[in-house]
């Protein structure tokens, strides 16, 4: 009986070792051909990134994407290169398309006309496609709220406030200082994006409006008060505030920073991303580890929000959504966005 138990245990260990060996992600490089196009496929285990190089005998095309590890090799099923544009199909990973002119890369939807149909208009905001998102638009004296067929006004202040410089999105909340208080504040509004209920909270310290948001971590907000040269840590859900040491989070670790840099607004919480959208001279560009891709010929005012392969941005008087794989969608238009387009919040 003892021998049988040992044998069964031995078999279990062998099966476990085999399973771990087979399914554990491994960095690799693999060369193959599809439709007479030579493909170099490389997987980087550290960041779970696939790198591809395609060569048709005349030109190289590069692309990379994040993906779960796939045990098989040779993941591109079909590939086509025509008129400077490459497109792929794959059952194992996301398919993609890309265009190239000399050494510059473009999306296949780079130059596009937007003849979108207006579905609704509310408070001078034209609505084309909300994509199921919850959107808060600051309208000087109130938030305009849009979600599917819902339209709502959320009034907070007695007088107009043109720009909200200290607003934070944290968890499911939009958190706004009480601008009814002059010069400095110790109250903030919490707007719950799940039900739009508003709660006024109060802290036992005053913060001057001459401050800026350093970042958030877990349930805390970090604000630097230039007037007092104090870094504060706030927990709005517990209504706690305390002085914090002069530190910021960079790439998931705390780093000390000088008061001089804080006073000059030179530092904020930051994390280096290998895939991200950025602006260069009003040109929206998607950065990947091996190429930078021009997304659209629209003149972009600012990026509202971005995450890996999707981005919300303002161009002219309109809010757009873009996904590097699927294209661009016009969402809303508002004439005021030509002059003031920072205070838009999307959940």
């Amino acid at each position: 009986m003892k021998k049988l138990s040992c044998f069964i245990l031995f078999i279990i260990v062998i099966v476990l070792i085999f399973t771990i060996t087979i399914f554990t992600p491994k960095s690799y490089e693999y060369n193959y051909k599809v439709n007479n196009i030579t493909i170099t496929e490389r997987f980087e285990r550290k960041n779970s990134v696939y790198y591809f190089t395609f060569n048709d005998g005349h030109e190289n095309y590069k692309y990379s994407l994040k993906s779960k590890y796939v045990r098989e090799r040779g993941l591109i099923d079909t590939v086509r290169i025509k008129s400077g544009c490459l497109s792929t199909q794959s059952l194992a990973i996301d398919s993609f398309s890309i265009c190239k002119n000399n050494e510059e890369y473009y999306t296949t939807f780079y130059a596009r006309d937007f003849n979108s149909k207006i579905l609704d208009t509310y408070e001078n905001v034209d609505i084309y496609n909300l994509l199921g998102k919850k959107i808060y638009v600051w309208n000087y004296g109130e938030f305009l709220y849009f979600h599917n067929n819902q339209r709502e006004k959320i009034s907070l202040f007695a007088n107009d406030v043109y720009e909200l410089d200290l607003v934070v999105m944290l968890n499911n909340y939009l958190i706004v200082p009480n601008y009814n208080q002059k010069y400095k504040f110790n109250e903030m509004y919490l707007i719950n994006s799940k039900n739009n209920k508003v709660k006024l909270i109060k802290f036992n310290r005053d913060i001057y409006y001459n401050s800026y948001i350093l970042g958030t971590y877990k349930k805390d907000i970090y604000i630097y008060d230039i007037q007092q040269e104090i870094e504060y840590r706030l927990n709005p859900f517990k209504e706690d505030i305390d002085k914090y040491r002069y530190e910021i989070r960079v790439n998931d670790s705390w780093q000390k920073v000088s008061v001089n840099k804080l006073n000059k607004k030179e530092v904020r919480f930051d994390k280096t991303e290998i895939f991200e959208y950025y602006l260069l001279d009003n040109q929206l560009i998607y950065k990947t580890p091996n190429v930078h891709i021009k997304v659209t010929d629209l003149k972009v005012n600012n990026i509202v929000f971005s995450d890996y392969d999707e981005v919300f941005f303002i161009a002219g008087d309109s809010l757009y959504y873009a996904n590097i794989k699927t294209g661009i969608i016009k969402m809303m238009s508002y004439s005021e966005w030509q002059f003031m387009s920072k205070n838009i919040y999307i959940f």
Side-chain angles (χ1 to χ4, degrees), residues 277-291:
Y277 290 90
Y278 68 94
L279 290 181
L280 180 63
D281 297 328
N282 298 110
Q283 172 81 65
L284 182 63
I285 298 173
Y286 184 57
K287 182 191 80 173
T288 76
N290 54 357
V291 294

Side-chain angles (χ1 to χ4, degrees), residues 143-158:
F143 281 107
L144 304 179
Y145 171 76
F146 303 85
H147 176 57
N148 296 332
N149 294 321
Q150 290 179 260
R151 312 286 182 261
E152 189 175 338
K153 295 179 183 179
I154 302 173
S155 299
L156 299 178
F157 312 124

Side-chain angles (χ1 to χ4, degrees), residues 155-157 168 173-180 187-191 198-201 236:
S155 299
L156 299 178
F157 312 124
V168 177
Y173 289 85
L174 190 60
I175 303 171
V176 188
N178 183 3
Y179 284 90
N180 287 320
E187 297 177 345
M188 301 184 87
Y189 289 101
L190 273 64
I191 303 173
V198 180
K199 178 182 179 182
L200 183 65
I201 61 172

Side-chain angles (χ1 to χ4, degrees), residues 263-278:
N263 285 338
K264 292 179 179 178
K265 297 187 177 182
E266 292 180 353
V267 292
R268 283 180 170 84
F269 287 24
D270 188 36
K271 185 175 182 179
T272 303
E273 301 289 352
I274 58 175
F275 293 88
E276 67 177 359
Y277 290 90
Y278 68 94

Side-chain angles (χ1 to χ4, degrees), residues 235-276:
N235 185 316
F237 310 107
K238 295 181 179 179
E239 300 188 39
D240 286 342
I241 183 171
D242 57 25
K243 292 183 181 180
Y244 197 69
R245 54 188 180 269
Y246 298 126
E247 289 187 352
I248 57 172
R249 282 189 70 80
V250 178
N251 293 325
D252 298 326
S253 65
W254 291 102
Q255 293 186 8
K256 292 182 178 179
V257 62
S258 69
V259 171
N260 185 48
K261 285 187 175 181
L262 286 165
N263 285 338
K264 292 179 179 178
K265 297 187 177 182
E266 292 180 353
V267 292
R268 283 180 170 84
F269 287 24
D270 188 36
K271 185 175 182 179
T272 303
E273 301 289 352
I274 58 175
F275 293 88
E276 67 177 359

